[in-house]
Amino acid sequence: NAGVTQTPKFRILKIGQSMTLQCTQDMNHNYMYWYRQDPGMGLKLIYYSVGAGITDKGEVPNGYNVSRSTTEDFPLRLELAAPSQTSVYFCASSLTGGENSPLHFGNGTRLTVT
Amino acid sequence: GQNIDQPTEMTATEGAIVQINCTYQTSGFNGLFWYQQHAGEAPTFLSYNVLDGLEEKGRFSSFLSRSKGYSYLLLKELQMKDSASYLCAVNGAGNNRKLIWGLGTSLAVNP
């Protein structure tokens, strides 16, 4: 049981480039999330999904896109990378969206945009 | 507004007990989570409280007072590996997408 797997672990992008951060989970969780974590700013929700085919915006969605074609996969797309997107990105999943359903996080992707 | 406050940093000694506080002001409340995050790693789930009182899990305990908007995480018999950031998160509505996160408390355990 691998849990939540994110790739790549590290990436450096030039301004204006695009990339996809991959996320897959093998726990058959319905809910999946993308967060970014910046020093002194805490975790911010970018997008989330409550099941295959359904996605919705979180607090900070601008500059990102997601898709959820299967239960397992939830990729995050950056179309035109900007320095403000330099951050650590975490994908997470939970069995349900209910109160007592802890999040399981992937190991993160450290992205630098220069 | 919605807000969670935690101390930024704490220091403790190996073998001791430390209490990390979290106060919150949210428009709704459906439970409070504590997560542990080692430097450079992902957060991992520690505990969940939705009713007032103390929940004990081995060396870690978590307390909640809903009337005071207050929780604490108690770590006993501290070990060096407990050096990490501890994140408090409140479920402000009945769905995890409404989690409100604190900035975390960085705990350093010294020998």
Side-chain angles (χ1 to χ4, degrees), chain B residues 16-109:
Chain B
I17 299 173
V18 72
Q19 177 175 310
I20 301 174
N21 296 326
C22 170
T23 57
Y24 62 89
Q25 292 144 342
T26 57
S27 55
F29 181 82
N30 285 285
L32 185 145
F33 294 87
W34 284 97
Y35 286 80
Q36 180 190 59
Q37 186 176 24
H38 285 102
E41 298 183 11
T44 55
F45 169 71
L46 285 178
S47 68
Y48 172 77
N49 294 70
V50 67
L51 299 177
D52 290 351
L54 189 68
E55 295 277 344
E56 297 189 74
K57 269 188 186 181
R59 293 190 299 114
F60 292 7
S61 303
S62 56
F63 171 83
L64 176 67
S65 168
R66 288 172 296 172
S67 62
K68 295 182 180 175
Y70 168 69
S71 172
Y72 67 71
L73 182 69
L74 192 71
L75 290 72
K76 302 176 192 172
E77 301 168 17
L78 279 172
Q79 302 175 9
M80 300 295 288
K81 67 178 182 180
D82 297 329
S83 293
S85 185
Y86 291 86
L87 310 177
C88 174
V90 172
N91 191 334
N95 192 307
N96 271 350
R97 68 178 179 268
K98 298 295 186 186
L99 276 179
I100 304 149
W101 293 84
L103 299 185
T105 298
S106 179
L107 173 67
V109 179

Side-chain angles (χ1 to χ4, degrees), chain A residues 24-84:
Chain A
T24 188
Q25 53 94 6
D26 63 359
M27 297 174 283
N28 204 29
H29 284 176
N30 291 314
Y31 284 67
M32 295 188 76
Y33 315 81
W34 274 105
Y35 282 93
R36 60 178 288 173
Q37 187 176 41
D38 301 297
M41 296 293 290
L43 284 161
K44 299 291 184 186
L45 183 65
I46 305 171
Y47 270 95
Y48 66 95
S49 169
V50 302
I54 306 169
T55 63
D56 209 344
K57 296 177 181 178
E59 299 172 77
V60 290
N62 291 346
Y64 307 95
N65 274 302
V66 293
S67 60
R68 183 97 182 270
S69 56
T70 66
T71 299
E72 294 78 19
D73 299 308
F74 190 43
L76 178 71
R77 178 87 178 157
L78 283 72
E79 287 296 348
L80 290 169
S84 61

